[in-house]
Amino acid sequence: MAEAAKDESMGVTAEEAQAAENAAMAVQKKMNMHSLPIRAYLDQTVVPLLLSGLSTLVKERPPNPVEYLAHYLLKNNPEKKESS
C-alpha cells in the first residue's frame, strides 16, 4: 500500500513529504527566532516559563529559591527532548 502512496514524479511517500515539510518549518522558525529583537525573543521563549516558575516559587517559598527555580525551569522546559 505504501508503494501506491508514492508520488510518481518524485518517488516520495506522503509521510516522507510531511517529514520534510516539518523539518523545513522547524528551520524557518529557528531562523525567525534569530532575527527577533531581544525583548520579543525573550517574550516568546523564556518569559512565560520564567513567570510560571516565579509564581510557583512565591507560593512555595523554599529555603533555596535559586536552586528551586533552576530545578523548576529544567523540569518544565517545553524544549526538553523526551527520553525514550
Side-chain angles (χ1 to χ4, degrees):
M1 185 73 179
E3 290 297 317
K6 285 202 175 205
D7 182 335
E8 295 298 324
S9 63
M10 299 291 235
V12 177
T13 65
E15 292 83 14
E16 291 170 331
Q18 185 63 43
E21 184 176 342
N22 290 345
M25 290 181 75
V27 169
Q28 182 67 35
K29 182 178 178 185
K30 192 171 189 176
M31 288 173 56
N32 287 343
M33 285 292 180
H34 286 296
S35 65
L36 287 173
I38 294 170
R39 176 67 187 252
Y41 170 76
L42 291 174
D43 284 345
Q44 290 185 18
T45 58
V46 177
V47 172
L49 181 59
L50 187 58
L51 288 176
S52 177
L54 290 172
S55 178
T56 304
L57 178 75
V58 169
K59 291 175 189 171
E60 296 292 325
R61 300 207 181 232
N64 188 341
V66 173
E67 186 176 315
Y68 180 91
L69 181 59
H71 178 71
Y72 180 91
L73 294 174
L74 290 171
K75 180 180 172 190
N76 295 289
N77 181 3
E79 301 290 321
K80 178 173 61 175
K81 304 290 185 216
E82 294 297 323
S83 299
S84 298

